[in-house]
Structure formats: structure tokens, C-alpha cells
Amino acid sequence: MAKIEHVSPLAPKSGFPELPVIEGVRFAALEAGVRYSGRVDVMLAELCEGTAMAGVFTRSSTRSAAVLDCQDKIGLDGSGKAAILVNSGNSNAFTGKNGMDAVQKITKAVADTMGIDQTRVFTSSTGVIGEPLKWERITAKIADLDAALDEAGISMAARAIMTTDTFAKGATRTVQLDGATVKIAGIAKGSGMIAPDMATMLSYIFTDANISRNVLQQCIWLDNAKTFNCVTVDGDTSTSDTVLLAATGKADMAPITDFADPRVHAFREGLHAVMKDLAIQIARDGEGATKLIEVQVTGANANGPAHRVAMSIANSPLVKTAVAGQDPNWGRIVMAVGKSGERAERDRLKIWFGDILVAEDGWVSPSYSEEAGAAYMKNDEIVIRVDLGLDNGTATVWSCDLTHGYITINADYRS
Amino acid sequence: MAKIEHVSPLAPKSGFPELPVIEGVRFAALEAGVRYSGRVDVMLAELCEGTAMAGVFTRSSTRSAAVLDCQDKIGLDGSGKAAILVNSGNSNAFTGKNGMDAVQKITKAVADTMGIDQTRVFTSSTGVIGEPLKWERITAKIADLDAALDEAGISMAARAIMTTDTFAKGATRTVQLDGATVKIAGIAKGSGMIAPDMATMLSYIFTDANISRNVLQQCIWLDNAKTFNCVTVDGDTSTSDTVLLAATGKADMAPITDFADPRVHAFREGLHAVMKDLAIQIARDGEGATKLIEVQVTGANANGPAHRVAMSIANSPLVKTAVAGQDPNWGRIVMAVGKSGERAERDRLKIWFGDILVAEDGWVSPSYSEEAGAAYMKNDEIVIRVDLGLDNGTATVWSCDLTHGYITINADYRS
């Protein structure tokens, strides 16, 4: 965890939430000095026997060795204990054959120390790309991590995975599944920089639900598409993005083994809420962010086109700088819709800032006043709503403004 | 033309080039007060009888009325005089049915005043989106423009289409076609802002070649794909981007009427050189630019994937801020290759800064030194070269760095 000199103005006012103990999960974190000394940079989560594991990962063609290793393992059945180890400071990406060797060394050390099958040990690394990971600094600490495991340690873990995040990110929900109370708790790190280097999104979510690996994997895949995959800070996709979901099965419930089980719907409501909460926290902590931007697109041909139009707006430097400048520059939104490559018809398009109708019938709305638009743009949270007027496709994505702070973080330093 | 307070440090040292008179073309420019007073904001080009016209336009689905009108006309045969009228200050985009009315008013006034068929009058508008174009301010000046036409006026026209461009952009080449000397001269405006508002690319190219409309259209379409379509400042596509090419046929040569004519190759060499020269000048005048970036991709599966990888690098905010910070952060290039969606294999990928081999065999090159990389990044012109090692696809694109200047131009003002 890096020293925090400036907390995002968009950080949740309530601070880090009270996360419940998830039976079957314990956490530890400590300083391993992977890149810098004096900061907690490794976390370990231990998962009890019978835990089902699911995950989604970056689709980057240059993804890191840890991601490749997780992808090999995530589809395997396994009933013993499991573990998640995360380091910051070095992403172990583009480190050639040495990269996979480092992952082998770390996962083997965790497996041997904790008595876990190596195929059940998952790792993530975030930080500088292209430098050898000093894996021996991590393996030297695994016995200490193991000894420090604590079922109440999740907030410590949330802090340990921070890099230049300005606040720790956690979220929790409980759901009722046929009388059983099931807890879901997750942590995430967002668009922080280590050296500075890569903005990497990592999230780890834990639940005591009793749910099979296959069903769990379908849940995370579907909900990821509507949550973490709908966040953009700068449109740059990390080589290390990872979301892992672990279900310990300790809740007092009959197991869910079929995606058609009616309880899946209730479970997914809770999971979706946790993932969306964490996703928005990541946008709130975007590098240099002073405004949260929610882009809602309706009326597209289908959900896919709606998502691409929303991302075209959310990634547009001209839209993001206009929001930074509190400029109700709706012409830039028209531009971003137009460049998305998706179907749009000028005379059917409607644009709102929050509830203020800005444009309709191919022109500025007669009810719109520049003063109302300018007043709205002073808010911390800006909703840009676009209706394409074509069909029923919808999407919502979250982003932040593009400010001098982003340039300062990414250009004014040398890594 | 806006007042220039700061010329881009990347402006050509030699200033605006000496452009030749193209027989059959005359130019005029003056102040019409479209949005601001005290600046030349309208240009007119008159093209002699028999001029062949070709053009390429933005593919934005929210393109402006002027672009829609040009697209309707560009495929028509016509042998009379032709004209191009361009205004800055207002893009006449997203102005509903009034937008097309304004284009009709302007083109009819030009046609009536100059004795030209209205289908041969082409217009462009650049500036603020969504505000009614005060077309009557333009039509009021057409007689004055007509009276001021001058065959030596191209440099004045180049200045008239500037918005917040910091230097006027022109380029010229001559080609020998079977003994005839053919001249090609072009002007362009780049990523400037009016209010500030939209970064629009406009270019007008003139030649005395005797070449049919169909062949001319094929030439501009092919060469545009390798020149203007390979420039990106911020990845935001304007609603008004337009390139028009006019061939007066006044050169002493037999007409070219077939794309298979061997003289087409020589003509295209000259045309390509003019378009590439103008395209690079636009990147040199990118908003806030302090470094020109050329991205060369080789070894892709095909040219299309090579272009998408190159654009992924050239549009990456993290790559562009690293260049701004003179940081040889090649990990960000690995990231941008990885996120492009195109095939790449870590162990075949090679990356160079200029001639400095940075990465190969899935890791940093043993010959690379951080000092050499850091020294290279101090140059004004940065070449990033990537070989994917897969097949023969290649692409080259041009961009600029992302600096505080870009944020200042686009966020610190209110339009």
C-alpha cells in the first residue's frame, strides 16, 4: 500500500464499509519489499475445503504470467483448500519464460506451506511491466503470512492490494436463499499506479454460498459484463486485470448445482450489487478524477451496440475534458455517438444531462437552457443519458473526467 | 483565422511552403463574422470548366449537413465550373432541418453568383456543433469573394481555414506523367478548436492533371487510407472531416480515364506525398503537442490488423503521457498491443524506440539500456516500432503526445 497524500474528492463519504466475516475465509497481509520497502505489498487469502472458485481475466494478448496460470486452473474441479496470493510493485508481465517460473515458485511455496494442491493456488501481480519479479522476496514471507491468517482480515487485505488508489475499496451484501442468509463481500483495487506504471483492476469476492463451480463461473461471467467491464478510466486495458470469486459453501443451505435453480437469481442480485458497488468505486478513484460520469444509453438496436456507444462517450477525451471544465458541451456527445461505429439517426437521438433534456429532433431542445446545463455540470456526479430511439438495447457505464491530475500522474514522473 | 499566440514547437522550421499556381484554380478569403469578428473565416475556391472532383468524408453517423450535401454530389459527373466554400466558426452539425436549409442557401448563392451548377458547389463548415449557422452572413459576402478570386491565393486560403491551428498547412509536389509536368498542391486544417469545440480535419487538394472523376476518386480513397486516416490526436472523430481533390485538366497531357493507366502510379506517388505531408503537419499541430509520434507496425497478419495495433498504441493515453514525460515506458506499448484485440504472441513481439531494440523474445532485450531509451525520448520526433512476427501486414500512423496543454485547451475554457 502506497502512501496516500490526497484522497479522491469522490471517495465514499462513509469510508471503508464494515465487511462481514465470511466463514471459511481468512486473510493476511504484510510487507515483502517486492519493489519498495515500507509498504504492505502482499496479501494471502486462505479458502476452506470445498470452496468453489470462479474468475474472469483480461483478454489482453500480452497478459501476465499470473493471469495465464489462473486461466489454466480456474476451470478445474477441486475440493481441497484453496488460496489467493496477490503482490503489488511488479506485474510479472512481459517477463518471458522467467515470468511463468516465478509463478511456479510462488504457487509451489504456497501449496507446500499451506498443504494445498498447487492447482488450487491462484496469484495476481500488479505493477511495473517487463522487470523480473523477485519471487524469492514473496516466498520468503509465506510462512509468516500463513501464521497471520485471520478471518477478520479482509479490510487489511483491501489495503494491501492498493497501489496509488487513494482509498480502499470494499462492498458487501447479504441475500436470502430459501431461508438461508448468504453473505457476499468483495474488495478491489482500481486505477492506481505503482511506479507509476499500469492501471490495473483487481477484485476478490468471497461468499459463504454453497454453489457449484460451474454455476459460480456463469454468475461471475454474466455479472462482470455489466459491472467491471463497464468501467473505464482511460480506455487502456491492463495485462493483469483479474476478478476471482470464491464460494466456501459454509452457509446453511442445500447446494446450488444448476444455473436454472431459482435461488441463482437472488444470489446474482447480491453478487451484482457488490460488483457494481466496487466497479463504481474504481471509477471514483480514477487517476486525477474530480467527477464521476455515468453514461446511460437506451434505445439501441441491441445491448452490444448500446455498450459500444456508451464506451465511445465514456472514453472520449473531448467529453471527459468538457466534464472536467464543467462545460455542458453536448456537441461533443453527438460527436462521440457519431464516431462509435454503431447505428444512430440524428432525428431520433435524444440527449440529457441528468433529467435535463438537451437535444431532440436533430437539434437542441427548445426547453434547454445553457444556464441549466452549466449549473448541472457543477455536480460531482454527472449522468449523461442518450436515447438512440431505435430499439430496446441498453447499457450503463461509469467513467471519470480527464484532468491535469491524470497528466501529472502519468507524464510528469519517470518510472 | 484565429489569433495565434503560441506556435507549435513541432511546426515545420521552413514555414509555409511555396505553393505553385495550379492553372484553372483561383482563391479568395475574407471576414464574414460567422461567429467572431476580426478574423478571416470564409474561403472560396473557383475551379475551371472540366474540373474533376473527388472526395472522402467522415463516416460519423452524426455528420454535418455540409458533409451530407457533399456526399450527395461527389459521385455526379459534371463538366462545368465548380466551387468550394469553407467557413469556420460553426460546423452546422446537429442543427436539424435548418442545417440542410443553410447549405442550400449557401450553395445556391454561390451557384447564382458564379454561374455554376448547384450540384458542383461543395461546402465545409467547422466550429461549434448544434448552433444555427448564420448563413446570411456568408451569402452576403459571396459577391465580394467572387470579385477577389486570385490564382495566387492558395496561401491565403490555407490561413482562412485555420481555427486554433498554430500554423498554416500546405504541401506540394510535381510529377512527370509521360513527359507532362503535373502539379499537385494542397492545404489542410488540423486539430484546432474554435470556441473551443470540435477538432476537425479539413483538406483541399488541387492538381492540373487531366484525369477522370472515377480514377480521381479511386486515387483519393486509396491514398486517404494511408495518410489522413492514419493521423490521430485524441481518437475523437469529427462530424465534419472532409478531403476534397480537384483536377482541372489543364496540364499538357492526354487524359487518364482508366485506373490501370500506368501514369496513375506516378500521379499517386505525388498525391500520396502531398497528403502524407499534410497529415503529418496535422499531427505536428495536435492540441498541446510537444512531440510527434510515428508508430510503425510490421509483421501483422494483414494490413488491417497492423493499422488497428498501430492506432491502439497511438491513441493510448498511457503511451501518449509517457512520451510527454520523456519516459521510455515500453511496458505501456506492450499493454497497448495487448488491448488492441488483434493477434499478438508475446515471444514473437519486438519493440524499438527509433533504432533501439527494446524488447524481444518475450522480455526486455539484453542489449537495451534504460539510459539509451531515456536519451532517445528527449527527441522532438519519436518513432515507436513494433514487429509482431506473424506475417507481412504493415501500417504507419502519426500522433502526438498528451500533455497539460491538451487539458488546458479542452477543459479550462467554457464554450
Side-chain angles (χ1 to χ4, degrees):
Chain A
M1 177 181 137
K3 191 170 159 214
I4 299 170
E5 293 176 351
H6 165 78
V7 174
S8 167
L10 306 173
K13 299 287 178 279
S14 51
F16 191 78
E18 192 76 28
L19 298 185
V21 168
I22 306 290
E23 192 182 346
V25 194
R26 297 193 299 165
F27 300 90
L30 51 68
E31 296 177 20
V34 172
R35 187 175 172 92
Y36 298 106
S37 56
R39 56 176 73 174
V40 174
D41 57 359
V42 180
M43 74 151 248
L44 176 68
E46 177 206 53
L47 300 148
C48 67
E49 280 188 27
T51 295
M53 296 293 302
V56 286
F57 306 95
T58 181
R59 284 182 288 193
S60 167
S61 61
T62 53
R63 49 196 177 267
S64 70
V67 167
L68 292 167
D69 183 61
C70 282
Q71 287 181 307
D72 284 345
K73 293 171 174 174
I74 201 70
L76 303 177
D77 283 317
S79 58
K81 287 206 299 181
I84 300 169
L85 184 139
V86 184
N87 76 271
S88 58
N90 185 313
S91 72
N92 193 24
F94 217 73
T95 46
K97 289 170 183 51
N98 297 295
M100 194 53 86
D101 291 345
V103 175
Q104 291 298 327
K105 289 286 198 303
I106 293 166
T107 55
K108 184 165 193 309
V110 171
D112 291 350
T113 303
M114 301 178 69
I116 298 178
D117 191 300
Q118 198 176 343
T119 63
R120 299 270 285 166
V121 179
F122 300 86
T123 65
S124 303
S125 296
T126 175
V128 69
I129 288 179
E131 292 189 8
L133 175 62
K134 291 172 177 139
W135 53 265
E136 65 282 3
R137 296 187 182 178
I138 297 170
T139 54
K141 295 290 183 180
I142 287 169
D144 292 348
L145 284 162
D146 187 42
L149 287 165
D150 178 353
E151 64 179 11
I154 191 168
S155 65
M156 188 171 59
R159 284 170 179 74
I161 62 175
M162 290 169 67
T163 50
T164 54
D165 296 63
T166 74
F167 60 90
K169 297 167 187 70
T172 186
R173 295 292 187 281
T174 55
V175 292
Q176 299 298 322
L177 300 186
D178 231 5
T181 299
V182 165
K183 300 170 194 161
I184 306 171
I187 58 176
K189 78 167 285 283
S191 320
M193 305 282 287
I194 308 290
D197 203 68
M198 186 63 56
T200 288
M201 202 286 295
L202 300 177
S203 181
Y204 307 94
I205 305 166
F206 307 92
T207 177
D208 54 3
N210 190 344
I211 190 164
S212 73
R213 185 185 61 72
N214 282 331
V215 176
L216 203 65
Q217 185 64 40
Q218 288 179 73
C219 293
I220 196 171
W221 188 82
L222 289 168
D223 286 317
N224 185 65
K226 293 281 191 185
T227 56
F228 291 120
N229 274 4
C230 296
V231 172
T232 178
V233 170
D234 51 17
D236 276 348
T237 306
S238 163
T239 51
S240 303
D241 294 332
T242 294
V243 183
L244 287 173
L245 170 58
T248 63
K250 293 294 188 187
D252 180 23
M253 61 182 281
I256 296 175
T257 57
D258 185 344
F259 191 72
D261 187 315
R263 295 173 296 171
V264 168
H265 182 73
F267 175 71
R268 281 189 57 201
E269 282 192 345
L271 177 64
H272 182 89
V274 167
M275 291 172 78
K276 178 177 166 182
D277 191 334
L278 292 170
I280 293 175
Q281 289 186 51
I282 288 170
R284 287 180 177 279
D285 206 9
E287 290 167 348
T290 67
K291 309 247 186 208
L292 178 69
I293 304 174
E294 177 169 308
V295 181
Q296 303 172 355
V297 174
T298 56
N301 283 337
N303 291 348
H307 182 79
R308 287 187 285 275
V309 170
M311 279 294 195
S312 179
I313 297 168
N315 275 325
S316 160
L318 287 173
V319 171
K320 292 158 78 84
T321 48
V323 172
Q326 305 194 143
D327 176 4
N329 196 322
W330 59 273
R332 295 184 183 179
I333 298 168
V334 172
M335 173 282 299
V337 171
K339 77 161 182 166
S340 68
E342 297 300 328
R343 189 175 152 217
E345 292 184 21
R346 188 194 67 185
D347 294 348
R348 294 181 178 215
L349 186 62
K350 291 185 183 179
I351 298 170
W352 292 259
F353 291 130
D355 293 326
I356 303 169
L357 179 60
V358 178
E360 61 180 336
D361 296 330
W363 206 0
V364 64
S365 166
S367 66
Y368 176 69
S369 80
E370 181 80 0
E371 292 66 33
Y376 180 77
M377 299 304 283
K378 293 189 190 303
N379 290 313
D380 280 352
E381 303 183 9
I382 303 296
V383 176
I384 296 171
R385 187 147 65 95
V386 171
D387 188 275
L388 297 173
L390 301 173
D391 207 328
N392 293 319
T394 65
T396 299
V397 308
W398 299 277
S399 187
C400 57
D401 55 344
L402 174 57
T403 68
H404 285 289
Y406 183 88
I407 306 294
T408 299
I409 292 167
N410 289 300
D412 292 355
Y413 292 72
R414 278 290 321 282
S415 67
Chain B
M1 179 182 138
K3 191 172 157 212
I4 298 168
E5 292 176 351
H6 166 79
V7 175
S8 167
L10 306 172
K13 299 287 178 279
S14 50
F16 191 79
E18 192 76 31
L19 298 186
V21 168
I22 306 290
E23 192 182 346
V25 194
R26 297 193 300 165
F27 301 90
L30 51 70
E31 295 178 20
V34 172
R35 186 177 173 90
Y36 299 106
S37 57
R39 58 176 71 174
V40 175
D41 56 0
V42 180
M43 75 151 246
L44 176 68
E46 177 206 52
L47 300 149
C48 67
E49 279 187 28
T51 295
M53 297 292 302
V56 287
F57 306 94
T58 180
R59 284 181 289 192
S60 168
S61 61
T62 54
R63 49 195 177 269
S64 72
V67 167
L68 291 167
D69 183 63
C70 282
Q71 287 181 308
D72 284 345
K73 295 171 173 174
I74 201 70
L76 304 177
D77 282 317
S79 58
K81 286 205 302 182
I84 300 169
L85 182 138
V86 184
N87 77 272
S88 58
N90 185 313
S91 73
N92 193 24
F94 216 73
T95 45
K97 288 170 183 51
N98 297 297
M100 195 53 87
D101 290 346
V103 175
Q104 291 298 328
K105 290 285 197 304
I106 294 167
T107 54
K108 183 165 192 310
V110 172
D112 290 351
T113 303
M114 301 177 69
I116 298 177
D117 191 301
Q118 199 176 341
T119 63
R120 300 269 286 166
V121 179
F122 300 86
T123 65
S124 305
S125 296
T126 174
V128 69
I129 287 178
E131 293 189 7
L133 175 62
K134 292 173 176 138
W135 54 265
E136 65 280 5
R137 297 187 182 177
I138 297 170
T139 54
K141 295 291 183 181
I142 288 170
D144 291 350
L145 284 162
D146 186 43
L149 287 166
D150 179 353
E151 64 179 8
I154 192 168
S155 66
M156 188 172 57
R159 282 169 180 75
I161 62 173
M162 289 170 68
T163 52
T164 54
D165 296 63
T166 74
F167 60 89
K169 298 166 185 69
T172 186
R173 296 291 188 282
T174 55
V175 292
Q176 299 298 322
L177 300 187
D178 231 5
T181 299
V182 164
K183 299 171 194 162
I184 305 171
I187 59 176
K189 78 168 284 284
S191 320
M193 305 280 285
I194 307 287
D197 203 68
M198 186 65 57
T200 287
M201 201 286 295
L202 300 176
S203 181
Y204 307 94
I205 304 166
F206 306 93
T207 176
D208 54 3
N210 190 344
I211 188 165
S212 73
R213 186 184 61 72
N214 282 331
V215 175
L216 203 64
Q217 186 64 40
Q218 288 179 73
C219 292
I220 196 172
W221 187 84
L222 288 168
D223 286 316
N224 185 64
K226 293 282 192 185
T227 56
F228 291 120
N229 275 3
C230 295
V231 172
T232 179
V233 170
D234 52 18
D236 277 347
T237 306
S238 164
T239 53
S240 304
D241 294 332
T242 294
V243 182
L244 287 173
L245 170 58
T248 64
K250 294 293 188 188
D252 180 23
M253 60 184 281
I256 296 175
T257 57
D258 184 343
F259 191 73
D261 188 315
R263 293 173 299 171
V264 167
H265 181 74
F267 176 71
R268 282 190 58 203
E269 282 193 344
L271 178 63
H272 182 91
V274 167
M275 293 173 76
K276 178 177 167 183
D277 191 334
L278 292 170
I280 293 175
Q281 288 186 52
I282 288 170
R284 287 180 176 278
D285 206 9
E287 290 168 348
T290 66
K291 308 251 187 202
L292 177 70
I293 304 174
E294 177 169 308
V295 181
Q296 302 173 355
V297 174
T298 55
N301 284 336
N303 291 348
H307 182 79
R308 287 187 286 276
V309 169
M311 279 295 194
S312 180
I313 297 167
N315 275 323
S316 161
L318 288 172
V319 171
K320 290 157 79 82
T321 49
V323 173
Q326 305 194 143
D327 176 4
N329 195 323
W330 59 273
R332 295 184 183 178
I333 298 167
V334 172
M335 175 281 299
V337 171
K339 76 159 183 168
S340 69
E342 298 300 330
R343 188 173 155 221
E345 291 184 23
R346 186 192 68 186
D347 294 348
R348 291 178 180 218
L349 185 62
K350 290 186 183 180
I351 298 170
W352 293 259
F353 291 129
D355 293 326
I356 303 168
L357 178 61
V358 177
E360 61 179 336
D361 298 329
W363 207 0
V364 64
S365 166
S367 66
Y368 177 68
S369 80
E370 182 79 0
E371 292 66 33
Y376 181 77
M377 298 306 281
K378 294 189 191 302
N379 290 312
D380 280 352
E381 303 183 9
I382 302 296
V383 176
I384 296 172
R385 186 147 64 97
V386 170
D387 188 276
L388 297 172
L390 301 172
D391 207 329
N392 293 320
T394 65
T396 299
V397 307
W398 299 278
S399 187
C400 57
D401 54 346
L402 173 57
T403 67
H404 285 288
Y406 182 88
I407 306 293
T408 299
I409 293 168
N410 289 301
D412 293 356
Y413 292 72
R414 278 290 320 284
S415 67

